[in-house]
Amino acid sequence: MSQISGFSKLTKLEKIDWITTHYLSNYPQAKSVIKQYWNSDEALQKLHDEFTENTISNYYLPLGVAPNFEIDGKLYAIPMAIEESSVIAAASKAAKFWLDKGGFKTEILGTTKVGHVHFNFEGNPEHLKAFFNSVKSKFFSETASITKNMEKRGGGIKDIQLINKTDSLKNYYQLYCTFETVDAMGANFINSCLEQFGHTLEAEARSYQEFISEDTYPEVIMCILSNYVPECLVRAKVSCPVSALGDTKEEAERFVRKFSQAIKIAEIEPYRAVTHNKGIMNGIDAVVLATGNDFRAIEAGVHAYASRKGQYSSLTHVKVEDGNFKFWIEVPLALGTIGGLTSLHPLVKLCLAMLNHPSAEELMRLTAVAGLAQNFAAVNSLVTTGIQKGHMKMHLMNILNQFEANETERADAVEYFKTHTVTHSEVINLLKKMRA
Ligand code: MEV
């Protein structure tokens, strides 16, 4: 294994030469695999190469579509970028299921985003408070050039508060800053404002009389947005009479009993909650990725929200009231439909066009719905047939692809596994028999 300096300055072909020589000598096809995934359209390839650094190829994810989502009375086909089998099928099935039961309803509970200037101060907290109040307006005036365009679009800085955190950490204070970023995810805007707040804080402190006489000044540690956005929150729900959930009264009641208990288990048992929410994120991440948003930010924020009461818990909830089954999700989603990749990546542009160019709020609504639908489908399977049945059907296709099964072999295998359990070895045995 080797080390190198100046790797980033090499051309793409030189990078490939270096990496294949030093780390892929055990993989003779390396160069051809890397190149196989290049796009023949040079401009498009250049665009992808420039999204990030040290690129050698493209990493594909399947892009699928889950149709028939009725959300707040409007029909959507939701684009989903995900490699996991069954997820898009499950979303589509849940969408269809709720289509004739009133569809999904959503509500935006807030769109506030948060960022901090984290700083140290060793002096008198009362002096710091007085200083903050005397210079607060400067934080706004000195970011005017950054906030001008955002304000034109209806956003901007909402508030800035001084928070004393010295009970938890010696000398630690923050400027707790809230923002409205409208249709942008807003990371650049927020971080630019925060860095200016940091400069203003330090510069103004230098001429503040109390600090000069005490010979102590605030020292900025860092300025950064938070991906924890409990006030950028959306709720999505479905409801229907309990009787609509089974062919007979007994069947419907059994389903609701088991389904509700499954949700309550995820509310109180973190082991289950993690898997339960993972299923929700199958839907959410797939939409987040397809629409060019930052799924790591969403993941971090969602899981923090799921732990906000001190124990990791379910994002979805259920209630049966007056013979009605009600199932909902509440989830923080700081999403954008302008800026970032949204105007650069051709497939992201296509996905946003498929959704008829949604606002960020609309994207929050339908992403939450994708999560709720996914959870409904997963828990529905878990409390009835189990998930393996559906999974293994898709898994069968993956195994058949892996062994390059032809059309006849595929059709025969699908027929055979209608009455047999799919296992990796069973599929291989069947293919061997067919090919003998
Ligand atoms: C698999 O990707 C997701 C599930 O495990 C979710 C769940 O258990 O609710 C099926």
Side-chain angles (χ1 to χ4, degrees):
M1 298 297 148
S2 307
Q3 64 171 13
I4 181 172
S5 57
F7 183 73
S8 66
K9 300 207 171 57
L10 301 182
T11 64
K12 184 164 148 183
L13 286 176
E14 286 167 343
K15 284 181 186 122
I16 292 169
D17 274 342
W18 188 86
I19 196 78
T20 50
T21 307
H22 293 94
Y23 286 88
L24 284 162
S25 53
N26 56 351
Y27 192 62
Q29 322 84 311
K31 272 192 186 172
S32 66
V33 172
I34 289 169
K35 290 182 182 172
Q36 193 180 14
Y37 283 84
W38 285 0
N39 200 291
S40 54
D41 177 337
E42 278 182 26
L44 189 63
Q45 186 51 58
K46 189 163 179 289
L47 179 76
H48 282 74
D49 285 346
E50 289 175 359
F51 283 147
T52 184
E53 306 80 32
N54 293 348
T55 43
I56 55 170
S57 192
N58 307 306
Y59 187 99
Y60 290 0
L61 273 185
L63 175 66
V65 175
N68 296 320
F69 271 99
E70 188 189 312
I71 305 172
D72 301 321
K74 211 167 138 186
L75 268 174
Y76 294 86
I78 299 188
M80 301 176 83
I82 185 161
E83 85 300 346
E84 185 174 328
S85 59
S86 300
V87 169
I88 299 179
S92 309
K93 202 170 154 199
K96 197 77 178 283
F97 181 85
W98 288 102
L99 189 58
D100 63 1
K101 296 177 184 63
F104 295 81
K105 303 275 185 293
T106 68
E107 204 180 328
I108 297 289
L109 304 175
T111 55
T112 300
K113 286 154 193 170
V114 177
H116 301 88
V117 176
H118 303 274
F119 66 98
N120 276 350
F121 181 67
E122 292 184 20
N124 183 333
E126 287 309 313
H127 293 167
L128 183 65
K129 214 176 191 180
F131 161 74
F132 172 74
N133 289 331
S134 72
V135 298
K136 188 170 174 181
S137 63
K138 289 242 165 159
F139 293 122
F140 290 88
S141 58
E142 292 190 0
T143 44
S145 62
I146 307 171
T147 56
K148 196 166 154 226
N149 279 338
M150 186 59 87
E151 281 169 9
K152 273 193 210 146
R153 291 195 271 117
I157 303 160
K158 291 179 88 160
D159 195 16
I160 306 170
Q161 290 170 33
L162 172 69
I163 310 281
N164 183 336
K165 287 270 180 177
T166 54
D167 278 352
S168 311
L169 183 65
K170 194 169 166 231
N171 299 334
Y172 173 38
Y173 292 82
Q174 12 171 276
L175 296 184
Y176 171 88
C177 313
T178 47
F179 301 87
E180 170 57 58
T181 59
V182 204
D183 286 333
M185 189 272 185
N188 277 332
F189 168 74
I190 294 173
N191 287 331
S192 299
C193 288
L194 292 169
E195 289 190 3
Q196 181 56 50
F197 295 162
H199 294 312
T200 304
L201 178 77
E202 286 191 335
E204 291 297 318
R206 288 278 152 192
S207 55
Y208 190 67
Q209 208 48 49
E210 296 283 4
F211 297 157
I212 293 172
S213 52
E214 283 175 4
D215 201 23
T216 184
Y217 300 95
E219 177 189 42
V220 171
I221 304 295
M222 59 189 164
C223 309
I224 186 73
L225 96 172
S226 173
N227 292 121
Y228 184 44
V229 281
E231 286 169 30
C232 186
L233 198 63
V234 54
R235 183 185 296 143
K237 58 187 176 189
V238 284
S239 69
C240 70
V242 168
S243 56
L245 293 166
D247 288 339
T248 62
K249 186 167 177 285
E250 289 69 39
E251 193 184 288
E253 283 174 358
R254 183 171 59 248
F255 172 77
V256 169
R257 188 173 59 249
K258 290 179 75 175
F259 188 97
S260 303
Q261 188 69 349
I263 303 298
K264 305 241 172 269
I265 291 169
E267 284 173 345
I268 59 103
E269 170 51 76
Y271 277 97
R272 172 58 200 150
V274 171
T275 316
H276 179 95
N277 289 347
K278 187 274 180 188
I280 292 171
M281 297 316 287
N282 279 344
I284 290 182
D285 280 342
V287 183
V288 170
L289 265 172
T291 56
N293 277 279
D294 178 346
F295 69 93
R296 287 85 57 207
I298 296 297
E299 282 277 344
V302 166
H303 297 301
Y305 186 76
S307 319
R308 71 195 180 286
K309 294 180 183 157
Q311 178 174 298
Y312 193 86
S313 177
S314 169
L315 294 161
T316 54
H317 307 282
V318 70
K319 188 154 78 178
V320 178
E321 222 171 37
D322 305 328
N324 275 314
F325 169 85
K326 299 180 181 182
F327 179 49
W328 72 98
I329 186 169
E330 245 175 53
V331 69
L333 292 172
L335 296 173
T337 53
I338 60 169
L341 271 196
T342 58
S343 55
L344 291 176
H345 196 302
L347 279 177
V348 170
K349 286 202 265 184
L350 176 127
C351 291
L352 290 169
M354 193 187 299
L355 297 171
N356 201 17
H357 306 289
S359 64
E361 285 194 10
E362 196 178 353
L363 186 58
M364 283 169 76
R365 293 173 194 274
L366 51 95
T367 306
V369 164
L372 183 69
Q374 210 63 51
N375 188 231
F376 180 78
V379 177
N380 180 10
S381 294
L382 286 168
V383 302
T384 55
T385 56
I387 54 156
Q388 282 312 89
K389 201 171 163 212
H391 269 196
M392 291 321 269
K393 239 191 235 163
M394 301 294 278
H395 191 45
L396 170 64
M397 290 304 156
N398 286 343
I399 304 171
L400 291 172
N401 279 342
Q402 193 187 336
F403 289 94
E404 294 174 356
N406 62 33
E407 285 308 314
T408 323
E409 287 169 341
R410 275 164 194 271
D412 290 352
V414 168
E415 200 47 45
Y416 177 83
F417 284 108
K418 278 185 183 161
T419 49
H420 294 79
T421 308
V422 181
T423 65
H424 201 264
S425 53
E426 266 298 290
V427 180
I428 295 170
N429 284 341
L430 183 72
L431 279 173
K432 270 190 192 151
K433 270 191 218 151
M434 287 176 179
R435 288 173 181 179

